[in-house]
Each structure stands twice: as structure tokens, then as C-alpha cells.
Amino acid sequence: MENQSDLLNKQLLNDIGNIARVTSAEGKVASYIPELSRMSAELFSLSCQPVDSPMVETGDCGQFFTMQSMAKIISLAFAIEQFGCENVFRHVGMEASADSFNSLMRIEMTSSKPSNPFMNAGAIAVCSLIFKAYKEESLKRITDFLKSVIGEENGFDEKVFLSEKRSADRNRALAFFMKSMGLLHGDVEAILDLYFTLCSLRCTSGGLAKIGAMIASGGTSVVSGEKLIANETVYTLLGLMSSCGLYNESGEFAVRVGLPGKSGVSGGILAVVPGRMGIGVFSPALNAKGNSVAGIRALELLSEKLDLRGLGL
Amino acid sequence: MENQSDLLNKQLLNDIGNIARVTSAEGKVASYIPELSRMSAELFSLSCQPVDSPMVETGDCGQFFTMQSMAKIISLAFAIEQFGCENVFRHVGMEASADSFNSLMRIEMTSSKPSNPFMNAGAIAVCSLIFKAYKEESLKRITDFLKSVIGEENGFDEKVFLSEKRSADRNRALAFFMKSMGLLHGDVEAILDLYFTLCSLRCTSGGLAKIGAMIASGGTSVVSGEKLIANETVYTLLGLMSSCGLYNESGEFAVRVGLPGKSGVSGGILAVVPGRMGIGVFSPALNAKGNSVAGIRALELLSEKLDLRGLGL
Amino acid sequence: MENQSDLLNKQLLNDIGNIARVTSAEGKVASYIPELSRMSAELFSLSCQPVDSPMVETGDCGQFFTMQSMAKIISLAFAIEQFGCENVFRHVGMEASADSFNSLMRIEMTSSKPSNPFMNAGAIAVCSLIFKAYKEESLKRITDFLKSVIGEENGFDEKVFLSEKRSADRNRALAFFMKSMGLLHGDVEAILDLYFTLCSLRCTSGGLAKIGAMIASGGTSVVSGEKLIANETVYTLLGLMSSCGLYNESGEFAVRVGLPGKSGVSGGILAVVPGRMGIGVFSPALNAKGNSVAGIRALELLSEKLDLRGLGL
Amino acid sequence: MENQSDLLNKQLLNDIGNIARVTSAEGKVASYIPELSRMSAELFSLSCQPVDSPMVETGDCGQFFTMQSMAKIISLAFAIEQFGCENVFRHVGMEASADSFNSLMRIEMTSSKPSNPFMNAGAIAVCSLIFKAYKEESLKRITDFLKSVIGEENGFDEKVFLSEKRSADRNRALAFFMKSMGLLHGDVEAILDLYFTLCSLRCTSGGLAKIGAMIASGGTSVVSGEKLIANETVYTLLGLMSSCGLYNESGEFAVRVGLPGKSGVSGGILAVVPGRMGIGVFSPALNAKGNSVAGIRALELLSEKLDLRGLGL
């Protein structure tokens, strides 16, 4: 029987890329933040970082884009490491909600914390915890952590940051609403600045793949070989990525792709094959639920070709 | 390195059982259906069915209990096989909802189909599809399918069935509500009778493990070696079990256990380790969200001891 | 200054009718109950019953239609008389809800009784109270009460009753849902039969005007001069008609007409001018919220011409 | 028969005050805005301003308090006068909602404008319309209008204003949420400043009575005899006060008191007897829904003693 490691090569990724990138025509580049809408719908890159062998990539691999919601993986991991699971999940739940990513209805309806840390409300609550502890140092601490994961620093996209900040009324509403209910503490604008900066961090699909590989390897950096996050943190990230990583498309993603993942409105998706590899994919055209059309298609093909669910089908 | 197949043995399951069954004191046997409440909270069984080796079990393995929501796996698999994914998911969604298992609020709020086939409303919608096609033969068809999976017929518990039927006002409300919105067709009482009979089917943790093993092996019966369900059906079951198999505790289950699963209010949980084995566990005391306390604990320990997430931790 | 009693005459009503009935073209005859849809959209009648002088009417005054939700006035008045306000409002609230008349979302969301007795759920809860006390005699008791108010018995429309019963899935859902939450007790089908029979009671706009006049006079029948309901009951009816008598169009009705009212999907509206008269109007074409288009228009004109708000404008 | 005008005298108000003020022990002074909580729960005043005779008052009549939500009457009247009903109600609905005064759930759920102009969200939307037209002059314009109604200028309470502003997270959330949905335009902080200043305007129960009398007389100032607002504006105010003037206690208020009213969390209530008089009452202890306990009781007694519903009971 052919070994899967043999199957993962540049030719396979090229083939997948050729099939997947066509589907981006069904989507639309995000427009709710003006600066995001300038990205070309044609762009596509796909990167696989095995836990124990070199990265394999295809497409516009050098293309930077902003992390958007994928940064929630980094801030959540950082927060759990610093404050412990129990403390973090006192402020945010662990369940998918079927509501859209920027919903707050359920917080009012149930008078309780945001459903999960990957919806905007939950991610802002996580930022508020971090900001409470580290104040102005918060960003530096998180980006240092990110650097230890991917081995480089790519800065943030100031135009996107400013665009986010100017278009931030919904997130501002979420933050003030939570504050009014005692679910968030501190200076809302400072917390949102941290949140928007994280969303604006620049990355490539290769960077996403390295983040995924760190999780896939149980918390060890593929760059330095250093153990960066505890097992419990790894389990938490995987569990949440499986159940609510693609907003209210998480169930369908679990059916079609079958891997823990996390998407962002810039068009990136980060996925994890536990024990084997991290995957990053990028294509800016989104479907109605805010996820990359070609990105999901590429992951679906990859999952099938490499039997990433381990079913031998 | 020690092989995981060597690790899975009766002693390990005994050890896990001893630790897990104690936690059942934190739960309560379901009382909303009078007949269910007669079950002793002391009972416990745990069965592992590898895809390619004999079953390993511990505890009260001969103890029958009713399938309850775990039967939703069987009826969903049957429906997808008969009518295709596209047809089935025209009537039910694929997303977790954070609402309780018997909620209908979101159906009214969004004027659309039930969130997923594992909430009561969704499972009733699936039953209505089956009943529409097979009428009075529906039950026989589904139980024949179940027999092909587990190799035996255990009948259904008539007392539980009658108790369900008498306590069924909420499910009746769900069915009539969907019917009024055109989301369900046919004779509500007949559809509910089918639904309650499926909930009342008798099984053991060993039976659950065999269902799990069939999914784990990509659709092949561990009893007959026959391919029973298509790959697409397998993917769909796994994806939905990962994202919404434990009602509004699915996210937390994904974090703690990290396996696709499906629970029932009788206290059973069915889990799948893709490519490797099916697991059935039974302990009737439930937590506030309707899931077996000791069952989740046992799965958590098993996942850890056997590294079922494949992280090598 | 001209006296308002002088102003109320057949000519005025004819004029109003001519203007109002034209607007019925903007509406649509109810179709959710097949039998209702057979009514001609051309029909129109308007009746005013002063508390101390003879009825004045115009249009198709002899035309019978079914009371539908207007019967909720009668069953609520009867229930308060028999069981007292405190008992009745332990099972149903007093507040408008902005939800549609057949909504149940809020009952689940707040885990509490229906918002008010004029939404279907609330009216069914009132019927359950009556049925609990009077069983099979319930209908007779309520229709005897109605006869004491309007001085005649017009029976019920069996075709509409059967049509309601056959199209009753939503109401059945409401009843079973409330029963599952302990908000309603007894045999759901028997309670719904009572509810549907009340909805199917035949009346004319003149009958509605007499009901209104009984309330307008503080509870005294304009037929017999007998005091039929207590002051507290009168206050309760007026308060609820003011705030939630026209479903989720109650606020707009209060703005445009400014009188306590109660509508039904047959196209009737009953209104009260406290201390002065009752008004009944009928025109089957409904707007999107289920209220008679020409009926509201006629009441608006009448309110203006006769200064029924007492503002002297 | 004794004339009602004879019945309205200082002795009657004294008697009512003595009975009503005792009930304030059942309530609690508002504490969500720190500055409001300093008000003594013992204070009570009741003022009646007939449309054609001098004011009659009892209690702590000189006591100033802030208008809070009662100012919504003034800003709404002003907005309708300036922009017309159609324009105003394109941005806000006319229906009561059963949600609490600071809810925003329904705006998300229905993706549409706030339910009515007396909930905070709706009132803020009205302020945004005014601010868009008059910018920094907005406050002056509204207070000039208020002065024309009550004949005096009482300024605003700066401490309360600053306290509101500091405690304003929920209102800020409402505003940003609406802005994100395109339901509100302009500078949120400036609009909220206008809103909070209006809430902080000082008044007495006598002032409230004069506002009520202006509405009762069909829009004519009792101070100057000048016609200040159009008939349509009067109808709109009366209709909305009848159906949603006391938040989610409006239905119960309509039952118990039977008059159009508007309450505020400072403990004031303004009521209108169309064609006859305006009433202002003040007592700071509130019930759970945010309305003055003794205020409602006083209005209930007054309505009964003077037969303000005109039923002759």
C-alpha cells in the first residue's frame, strides 16, 4: 500500500489548487470592511506543513493577507496558557450556536456569556481578559507567542486595522453590550484596538500551516521543536475547531472536510490533521456564511485524496 | 513503542470503569419519561469493538437499555442511504444550535428547517421522510438495517414506548409545529409512533460499539464484513457526530473526548475512532444537559489512555 | 355646538362605508383556513350600538361571519367572571408581544405563560381553564353568556369548525407545547374543540356592536339592561383591547383609531367607546397582520367624524 | 349627579396621596444609574392640570426630578412636528414588544427597526433623526419646544447626565448595533449626549401635568393657549402611550389605570385624560419593570374616583 507521506507532494497540491480555485467564482470577496474588498478574487495558495517533514505548497504562497478570525486561535491559546482553561471558560462558552459570527441575541436571551470564543463576542471577551492582565503590553505578548509558533514576524496591516476600526460598529455594540452585563471589563476602545490589531496581523498560508502543525504535533513548534502549549490547550483548540471553527457552517465543514479548522473573512482557513500536519489555505472569495469557497473545496479534496479522516476509503 | 492494540484490553477497561462509574453520583437518572427513571444509577458498561479484532468489554455488559437519541444515527444513516444526502438535508440542517434538544424556538425565529438531525425536531423530520416512503413497513426496514449492523435483534421496550408516547407532549408540539410550517408531512401520530419505537429499541453497550465500528470501518459491518453504507453517509454521520452529537454539550465533548459521538437520555453514548474502533458506554445518571456523566468520563479516560486523538501525547 | 348623538346616523355610516369598502382591494381574504377563503371580499357592514339608543347600521348587516378571535373577548370575560382575575392571569399575561398571533417562541424563550389572552396560545390557555371547570358543559355555558349579551343565538358554522380543526396544526402545537411546560392541563383535543367551536360561532356586525355596547356601558346588557360582568372584568377587557386587541398591529390601531378593539381573521372588528357605544364592523379582506383593511379604515373615519377620542379636534 | 370637575380638588388628591405613597415601600429607587439612587424613596407629588381650569396638586410639588423616559414624549412630538409621521416611523415601529426597555434582541432577530419610540433603542433612533437635522442646535430646539409646553425652563441635572453617560454601556451598545445595521446614522456619542441630556432634564409633577394637558387639549398649550402640535401628532402620542408607554407593563397599566401614560425610571409618570386633563405623578420607588409603584397606585385611584375611563362605574 502506498504511503500517505508519498502522496503529499507538490503535484497533488497543484492538481487540487487547479480544481479548487475555479470554485472561487461562486463566492464574493468580503466587503463589510472596505480595505478587505481590495483583495483580488483570483489569489489562491495552499500549504501543508507535516509535523516531521518540510512544507509543501502551491499557488500564491508569498501573498500576505490578514489573519482576521484565525487570530482567535492564537489569542485563545495564549489566554489558556496564561490564565488556565477554567478561568477563560468562565467568560466564554464552548458551544456552537447556529447564530451568525457577529450575533449577540443569545447573550441577551440567556443573560449569559458568549457561546464560544470563535464568535466575535467571545473573542472580544478573551481579548478583554488578556488586556486586563497585560494592558498595553498585550499585543507584544501575543505576537511574541505567534512568532514562537511560526518563526517570523510579519507585522500587521495598518490600512486594514484602520478600516476595521472605522467599520467596527457591530463589534463595538458587542463589547458595550457585554460590558453592560458585567461580562467584559475595562476600556472598550482599548480592548477593541487589541482585537482589531490581532485581526489585522499579516500572514501567509504557510504561516497558517505552521500554526496548524504546532497543534497537530501536540503543541510543539515545527520551527524550534519547543513545546509551546500544554496538552489541555491543544485538546481545547482541537475540540472547539471541530465544533465551531467555521461559524454557523461548522457542521457542514465537519461533514465535507472532517478536520478541525478555523476560518477568517480574509479568505484563509487553517486546518489540523492531528498527529500529522497543519494546513493553510487562502482564497478571498467567500460564501454567504463568510467562509472561503475555494478554501473549503481544496480542503475537501485534500481530505479525500490523503484519507485525512483515516477511514481508508 | 508500545502498540495501541496491545493497550486495549479488559484490564484497562476495568480500571477506567472503576474511576468513571464513581462520577455517576454527580448525575441523575432521566425522569421526564417515567419508565426511564426506574433504571438503577449503579449500572455501568463499556464496550470497545475494534474494526479488526474481537470486542473488549467491562461492567454490566448484558444490561439492555433503550437507544433513545442514539437511534437517530440509525434512522439518519438509513434515510441517507435510501433518499440521498441532498434530499435528506433539504428537510433538516447540519449545524449545532446551542438550544436544548427539544427546542423549537429557532424554527419559528428563522422560519426554516430544524438545525440538525440530532435535535428532536430534526430527528422527527427524518422519521417523516422515512414514513412517507415506507409507511407501516418503516419500522421493519430500519430494524432490518440495524440487524445488519449489529447482527442481532433485541426488540423494543414496550413499557418505555408507552411511557414515551404518554409523555410526548413536547415532541408532539414539535411535530405539529413543523407540519404547520410545511416542514413535515403526513400523519403526526404515526410518525411519532415510529420515532418513539426507535427511541425504545433495546440495545447493549456492545451493540453501540458495533454501530460505532461499522462507521469507523467506513461503513462495513463488523459482523458480516458487508459494506452497508456509502462513504458519503459515513462522512455525514462522522461530521454531525463531531459537531452536534451531544446536544448543546457537543463542543465541550469535543474538547474533553475529541471523538465523534452520539448520546441518549437512557445514559448510553456511542463513539467512533475513525479507522480503528467503535465504543459503546452506558451509565444512566445524566448531567443537566442530558448526557451520561460516567459515560463522558469513561470516554475521556479512554481517549487519553489510548491516545485516540492520535496526538501522541 | 352640534351634539355627537345627532351626528351618528345612517347617512354618516353610509358615507363612511362607501369610502372604507373601497380600501378592501388592498387586502386579501384569509386563506389559511380553506372555509374562510370562500367569503366574498365585497361584503361590508358597519353597526353602531349606543348604550342608550337604538342601533344604527349600514351595509350587509344580515351577513353572518364567524367570530374567530373576537370570541376571545367572550371566553375571557366568562373566565374572569367565573374564576376571578387573579386566577385567570396566573395562566396568561397582560402584555402585547410584537410576535405574530400564532407565535410560541417567547413561551420557550422565557419559560413562562403566554404573553396575553388574545394571542392564540393565551386564548387556548383560557379555554383550558374553562374546560377544566365545566368539561362538556363549557360550550353551553359560554354561549349562554353570549346570548345574554346579544339577545340571540346564532349557532356555529360547522364547515368552518371542521375546516379549523383540519387546519389546526399550529394551534395543536401551541397547546401541546404549553402542556409539556405545565402551562395547560387536560385533554388537548377537547380543549381545542372548544376553542375552534368558539372561533366558529356565527355573528353579525350588529352582534359585535352589542358586545361592545355591553362593555361600553360598564357591563350592562343593552338587550336586557342586566349587569352581566363586574367592573373589574370591564376594566380588564378594555385595558387588554387597548394594548393588544389587534395582535402586532395594536399600537398602530391605537394611533389611527384610538379605541379599544378586538379583531378576527374573518374580517370583523369589535370596538368600544367607553360610556357611549359599541361598534362592529365587517369586511373580509385582511392586511398582512391579519386585520380587516376596510374595517380599520371605517373605524378610523368614525373615530374622526364623531370625535370618539373626545379631543374636540 | 355630582360633576367630576367638582370632585377634582386638593382634598381628593391628598387622600389619594396618603393611600398611594405607602405602597412605595414595595418598590426600590433605581440604582442602575448611581446618581438616581440618591433620591429619597419618601418623596411623592401628584399634579392634575385640567385643560380649562387651574392646576390642583398635592405632596412635594416643588421637588425636581429628571424626566428620563418621559422626555421621549417631547422628543417624539418634536420629531413628528419637524419631519412628519411617515419619516419618523420609517425608523422606528409602533408596537409594544414584551421585551425590557433596553432590549435589542428583536432588532437582531427581525433585522428591522426598533419596535417603538419608547424603548431606549427607538428613542435613540428618534434622537439620531433630530441630531441629523439640527446638529448642535438639537438640544436647544427641543428645550425651546418643551418651554412652550410648560412655560418654564428648568435646566438639566448635570450630575445625572454625567452619571448616565458613565453608566451608558447598554445604550451605547444599542446605538452602535443600530448603526451597524444602517438603522441609525451619525456620531453615536453626540447622539447619546443628546439622549442623555434629554433624560436629565429637570421637571416637577406639575410640569408633567402640563405636558399631559397639552396633549389632552389636542395640542394646545395650557400656558399660552397656542396650538403647538398637529392633530396627527396628538393621535400618535396618545396611541403609543396607550399601547407601549409603560414598557413591558403597558398592558397591565391599561387594565389598572386605563389612561395613556408614559413613565420614567426617575419615578415619574405622565398620564392624559383626553379632552379633560393632564396628570403628573412622582414617587421614586420602582417595581421590577421600572415603573413607580406609588405612581401607578395613585393613577389607579384617581382613575377610579373621577371615573376617568368615562364608564360611569
Side-chain angles (χ1 to χ4, degrees), chain C residues 230-243:
Chain C
N231 296 358
E232 190 187 21
T233 311
V234 173
Y235 294 152
T236 305
L237 294 176
L238 285 172
L240 290 170
M241 292 168 81
S242 293
S243 55

Side-chain angles (χ1 to χ4, degrees), chain A residues 99-100 102-106 108-109 168-170 172-174 176-181 188-189, chain D residues 99-100 102-106 108-109 168-174 176-181 188-189:
Chain A
D99 298 318
S100 75
N102 59 9
S103 176
L104 62 71
M105 198 162 69
R106 179 171 295 272
E108 179 180 337
M109 204 189 292
D169 295 322
R170 183 65 166 253
R172 211 160 264 134
L174 296 173
F176 282 116
F177 195 84
M178 291 191 285
K179 192 171 185 193
S180 78
M181 295 182 75
V188 163
E189 289 300 332
Chain D
D99 298 318
S100 76
N102 59 9
S103 177
L104 63 72
M105 199 161 69
R106 178 172 295 273
E108 179 180 337
M109 203 189 294
D169 295 321
R170 183 65 166 252
N171 287 320
R172 212 161 264 133
L174 296 174
F176 281 116
F177 195 85
M178 290 191 286
K179 192 171 184 192
S180 77
M181 296 182 73
V188 163
E189 290 300 332

Side-chain angles (χ1 to χ4, degrees), chain C residues 94 234-243 258-260 274 309, chain D residues 238 241-243 246 249-262 269-274 276 279 296-304 307-311:
Chain C
M94 282 188 171
V234 173
Y235 294 152
T236 305
L237 294 176
L238 285 172
L240 290 170
M241 292 168 81
S242 293
S243 55
L259 297 175
R309 310 186 203 227
Chain D
L238 284 172
M241 291 169 82
S242 292
S243 56
L246 274 84
E249 195 178 357
S250 300
E252 189 174 340
F253 185 80
V255 167
R256 287 179 58 191
V257 175
L259 296 175
K262 183 73 208 80
I269 307 177
L270 178 172
V272 178
V273 192
R276 293 170 56 188
I279 309 169
I296 292 179
R297 185 72 185 112
L299 290 170
E300 196 178 15
L301 289 166
L302 198 64
S303 178
E304 185 189 326
D307 186 26
L308 297 182
R309 309 187 204 228
L311 287 161

Side-chain angles (χ1 to χ4, degrees), chain C residues 27 46 53 59 84 135 141 148 218 225 238 245 249 253 257 263 270 310:
Chain C
L46 173 60
S53 61
K135 295 284 183 303
R141 295 243 181 179
S148 72
L238 285 172
E249 196 178 357
F253 185 80
V257 176
S263 60
L270 178 174

